[in-house]
Amino acid sequence: MRDDRGRFHPRNDLNDLTGREWLAFTRTWFVADSKRYWRNKRTELHPARFPEEMVEPFVRFFTKQGMWVLDPFAGSGATLVACQEAERCSVGIEVNPRYAATARERVLTLATQPAVVIESDVRRVAEPDFWAPALSAGCPVVEGLPQLDFILTSPPYWNMLRTSRGHVFSSQRERASKGLDTHYSDNPADLGNLTDYDTFVETLGLVFDTLAPLLRPNRYLVVVAQNLRAPGGEVKTLAWDLARRIGRTYQFQGERIWCQNVKRLGIWGYPRIFVPNYHHHYCLIFRKPAVG
Ligand SMILES: C[S@@+](CC[C@H](N)C(=O)[O-])C[C@H]1O[C@@H](n2cnc3c(N)ncnc32)[C@H](O)[C@@H]1O
């Protein structure tokens, strides 16, 4: 079948895209900088949001209309809002009651598709009745567990929000001066409060292991993460470490790099040391194997 978007393949069971649209998405980098991006950035909602414009193409690539998407670190609900726009059903999990309320409110104003925000620690997903709100919203279920078509999320980037670089242009300082959140919460259940790096990576690995049985075979998980420079100057290869750790359970399929072309450059090491301005994020793409 063909229309002015291009040709649809009859055996495409992944998405509703034409061959041309599919091909465009396979480029391993992209820039999300348009006017819509800046309008939707809404940094006052949350200290580490990703914009809906960045998420929506992933939702459209990895699902068909009406499928179910989970964001286990939902924050202000960008994934859920993108799912409304793309006519997908969605579930968000968020430990911070304020962000959970924000996500719920934002989704409710659109409310064209079923969408549920569960306010909880994601590590509780195996507890009885955890999924009850999603199941009553119509999420398909097998043996009491939801059957998800896609998981897309951005977990805390370790405890980086708690560390100010102490420079003049520190974004934490700027946010603090406006009375905005500079970190998620002081709740010990918040994974952004874990101080040991290896424990953090392993904890996230376990979270995604626990979610694997809920994802339908051959379907996808996308984790947005970044390599980081710790305040002492050491670079932590968070994105790469997560690719390795999560790749023990899911098959790593590659990455798309989200480039940020309009962020202010900080002059950290000048004039003696190379210190990168990390203005890109890895969208790590994993596939759940058919068996196992
Ligand atoms: C990088 S932010 C996600 C932002 C989101 N993508 C958005 O656009 O708003 C990570 C989120 O994970 C939440 N979080 C941290 N620990 C959690 C936990 N144990 N269970 C569920 N959510 C958690 C934080 O409160 C924070 O909102």
Side-chain angles (χ1 to χ4, degrees):
M1 197 179 80
R2 188 182 181 95
D3 70 8
D4 53 6
R5 284 167 51 199
R7 191 185 293 275
F8 297 88
H9 200 291
R11 287 197 294 113
N12 178 351
D13 58 4
L14 181 61
N15 57 40
D16 299 325
L17 302 182
T18 63
R20 195 194 303 154
E21 291 163 340
W22 177 301
L23 185 64
F25 185 86
T26 59
R27 192 187 302 278
T28 53
W29 61 272
F30 63 98
V31 183
D33 270 346
S34 71
K35 279 196 183 131
R36 181 173 163 229
Y37 169 89
W38 286 106
R39 201 169 48 240
N40 288 339
K41 205 155 175 279
R42 306 282 309 274
T43 48
E44 77 284 3
L45 296 177
H46 189 280
R49 265 173 57 61
F50 53 40
E52 289 75 25
E53 184 192 21
M54 196 285 281
V55 196
E56 200 179 314
F58 284 87
V59 169
R60 289 189 188 275
F61 191 88
F62 289 109
T63 55
K64 286 179 170 286
Q65 191 180 359
M67 284 186 162
W68 280 83
V69 179
L70 169 71
D71 185 339
F73 296 97
S76 61
T79 304
L80 282 69
V81 170
C83 285
Q84 293 289 326
E85 304 276 338
E87 299 181 342
R88 271 64 169 174
C89 313
S90 55
V91 187
I93 302 170
E94 171 54 52
V95 77
N96 183 317
R98 272 191 304 117
Y99 302 151
T102 302
R104 203 170 283 130
E105 198 182 300
R106 297 180 72 224
V107 165
L108 277 182
T109 23
L110 300 163
T112 58
Q113 301 295 314
V116 175
V117 179
I118 301 174
E119 183 193 310
S120 176
D121 182 342
V122 66
R123 289 169 295 181
R124 300 177 63 181
V125 295
E127 290 181 9
D129 296 333
F130 182 93
W131 295 103
L135 303 190
S136 31
C139 183
V141 53
V142 171
E143 293 173 4
L145 293 179
Q147 296 298 293
L148 302 164
D149 300 293
F150 182 38
I151 304 176
L152 166 61
T153 199
S154 170
Y157 290 1
W158 187 30
N159 60 358
M160 277 299 109
L161 282 185
R162 300 199 77 106
T163 62
S164 170
R165 307 293 195 285
H167 290 269
V168 182
F169 292 128
S170 152
S171 57
Q172 279 103 324
R173 283 192 181 186
E174 199 172 307
R175 289 184 65 86
S177 72
K178 293 179 185 161
L180 299 173
D181 285 0
T182 53
H183 60 281
Y184 306 132
S185 69
D186 295 325
N187 181 351
D190 179 336
L191 303 189
N193 291 329
L194 287 175
T195 49
D196 180 70
Y197 177 75
D198 293 333
T199 306
F200 173 75
V201 172
E202 180 56 21
T203 304
L204 275 186
L206 290 171
V207 165
F208 292 111
D209 289 352
T210 315
L211 293 173
L214 313 181
L215 186 62
R216 290 171 48 222
N218 293 327
R219 305 299 304 190
Y220 289 80
L221 158 71
V222 171
V223 178
V224 181
Q226 198 174 36
N227 292 335
L228 313 160
R229 190 169 62 86
E234 188 190 354
V235 172
K236 295 288 190 188
T237 52
L238 177 63
W240 303 345
D241 297 337
L242 285 178
R244 255 187 299 272
R245 174 59 184 84
I246 299 169
R248 279 164 39 189
T249 301
Y250 302 76
Q251 190 176 330
F252 182 52
Q253 292 286 126
E255 72 272 28
R256 296 189 79 222
I257 297 176
W258 166 26
C259 302
Q260 297 170 297
N261 204 20
V262 288
K263 279 181 74 176
R264 197 162 43 195
L265 290 167
I267 186 160
W268 314 122
Y270 180 79
R272 292 178 49 237
I273 305 171
F274 169 75
V275 177
N277 273 278
Y278 276 109
H279 291 183
H280 69 282
H281 302 246
Y282 286 83
C283 304
L284 304 167
I285 301 168
F286 304 88
R287 188 171 189 228
K288 177 173 162 175
V291 184

